[in-house]
Amino acid sequence: MANDNEKLPMKMNFEESSDAEFDLNTFEADLEDKLKADLAGMVSPEEDLKKIGDPSSLGDPILKLILEQINNQIAVTAGEDFIKENGGLNLDLRNSAHIQTAENHNIGEVPSHNPSDYKERHDTWVDKTFQKDNKGNIILNADGTRKLKEGYRSGIDDPTRPRGSKADGTDMDHTISIAEYQSRADVDLYMTKTAELENTTKEAISKDFVNSKDNLRLMDASANRSKGDSTTPEWIASGDADPYIESGKINEEQALKDHEHAEKTLKKRYKKGKDAFKKEGRKSQREEALRMGKNTARAVLMQLLLKLLKKIVGKLVVWLKTAQKTIQTLINSIKEAISSFLHDWKQHLSSSADIAGTTVATAIFGPIIRAIKSAWSMLKQGFRSLKEAINWLKDPANKGKPFAERMLHVGKIIVVGLTGFGAISLGQTIEKGLMAFPLFAIEIPLLGSIASIIGIFLGAVVAGIIGAIAMSFIDSLLAKRQQRELTSQLIEQGNTVLNRQETMLMLKEVKLEQSKATIMQDIQARHEEASEAMKESLNTLFTNKDRMQSIKEEIEAEYHTITSPSTKSAEEETLDVLSDKLHKFSQRR
């Protein structure tokens, strides 16, 4: 019976219930994963609770604003220092500010950034060449030209030069007349300079040119008198030359060519003097540009040194807090500061460009750049705050928040912007107030006046305190709302965890009941199978009852036969018969 039980088909029950057990196991594993995620997620709100009221959102912009104002101060001061070194003149590298021209010489003006002796040259020329009235004003001719002094031809017109022929009715005309020559500013300015360079006099080189073949041409006497002191183009344009052109006494085309040739020769003759004035102007431009470069470089270097100093001080503070204060650790800290400074080279390049631009702009336009930079800083701060507010409102994570909470967050961003405005405005007001005291008006190289430095820091400190109070008030309102919200979130998460845990307990109970049911089913099935086997065995026994009785009787008969005295001699034969009968019985069974 025992062997029969061992052979019962137990695998059938497992196969019948395996699908249900698999679903429950999967469900249980899924619940465990979700429970772990819920437990891990409960850390985040607690961390958020710690961050409520963090003042860094105000401190960082204020610090950045102070550094920006210091950089602006350095740049503007460097630009103002340049103006002082430049004789009170703003930066101007244009040619008109450095190179003297004939146009300026004609009206008595000089390059503002390179005056040299140009005013004296003009005054000497005017006093020597033109007539003046009792008030010192130049007397003008009827045509508006300046009236030359008597004897203006003296020293220039050469009596030995070629003359015309009275018999032929011709004169030797000066293409560029002596009157025109003496009245021209370019001639006086450049010829005088050329003479100085050649260690001679203006009269000497003027005499050579005026009476040279390049400026003399044979001309009809009457036409020469008609032309007078006018230039050839002016004479032809006026119409006075028409009768002579029509009569063939004057060849208009040739006359203009002769004039053009004389002009080219004159300009070529005084080119040395003209180039000398350009060279003087270029030298003045280079000197001014060099002054500008030095002041700009000092400003850039100053702000870089301040940044490096900030890095080093920060590392020194950390070093002082460490337990191991050795020379080696100090050197390592300084190396780290320098390495960090060099790593930010792109940021330094950008800030240096801004410093250089502000310095140059101040040198060009003057102190107004200080006001413009302050206004720009305000606009930039306002734009930054507005942009941050818009981005915060657009953030999908913030769209579901209550309207009041969103407005409070936007208010914090606006307070930061207003604090920046206040720091700049208040700093300027403090500076103006302190400038009334001579002590505070003392200038510190590259940093500006003591009043401006104090104004920057006090303005930032006072505005920062006011902003911090406003931020603290807003934070207190936000903190209460956020604490309620986060506490509710924690409770909700805790309830979710408890629900999942309860679900898992219920699931385990269901699995236990299912296991019990499966075991009972297996036991019942075994009992039923055993009962059937027993029934079959009993039926077999009862079916063969009569046969067994017959066999029993045959065995007993045989036994009596064996045990009887008459058959004892045939014992072996009888045992064989019994064995055969038992074998047959076993086969029928």
Side-chain angles (χ1 to χ4, degrees), residues 53-74:
D54 186 3
S56 61
S57 57
L58 177 64
D60 292 342
I62 291 297
L63 179 60
K64 185 176 181 181
L65 182 65
I66 291 175
L67 294 176
E68 184 178 347
Q69 289 299 301
I70 291 175
N71 287 339
N72 288 341
Q73 182 72 12
I74 291 173

Side-chain angles (χ1 to χ4, degrees), residues 5 118 122 157 160 226 294 308 374 409 462 476 494 511 531 560:
N5 285 337
Y118 302 145
H122 169 267
D157 191 12
T160 63
S226 173
K294 288 181 178 179
L308 178 59
S374 297
H409 276 288
V462 175
S476 65
K511 289 184 67 179
S531 176
H560 287 297

Side-chain angles (χ1 to χ4, degrees), residues 509-579:
E509 291 178 0
V510 170
K511 289 184 67 179
L512 180 60
E513 292 297 327
Q514 186 184 49
S515 297
K516 288 181 179 179
T518 301
I519 293 170
M520 292 302 295
Q521 289 176 359
D522 288 344
I523 293 173
Q524 184 178 357
R526 287 174 178 275
H527 285 176
E528 290 176 356
E529 290 177 359
S531 176
E532 291 295 328
M534 291 176 67
K535 287 180 180 179
E536 184 179 352
S537 299
L538 290 174
N539 289 333
T540 301
L541 290 173
F542 286 123
T543 302
N544 296 318
K545 181 179 179 182
D546 294 338
R547 183 59 183 163
M548 291 291 292
Q549 185 64 33
S550 175
I551 292 171
K552 181 180 178 184
E553 291 176 354
E554 290 180 1
I555 292 172
E556 289 177 352
E558 291 293 336
Y559 177 76
H560 287 297
T561 301
I562 293 171
T563 56
S564 64
S566 59
T567 57
K568 286 182 182 178
S569 60
E571 183 178 354
E572 293 180 1
E573 181 179 355
T574 302
L575 289 174
D576 291 338
V577 171
L578 288 173
S579 178

Side-chain angles (χ1 to χ4, degrees), residues 477-500:
L477 297 178
L478 276 173
K480 292 177 181 178
R481 295 184 62 89
Q482 291 178 346
Q483 284 173 351
R484 288 196 300 268
E485 180 181 346
L486 292 173
T487 301
S488 175
Q489 185 178 353
L490 282 171
I491 293 172
E492 183 178 352
Q493 288 181 343
N495 290 335
T496 301
V497 171
L498 291 174
N499 288 335
R500 293 197 190 280

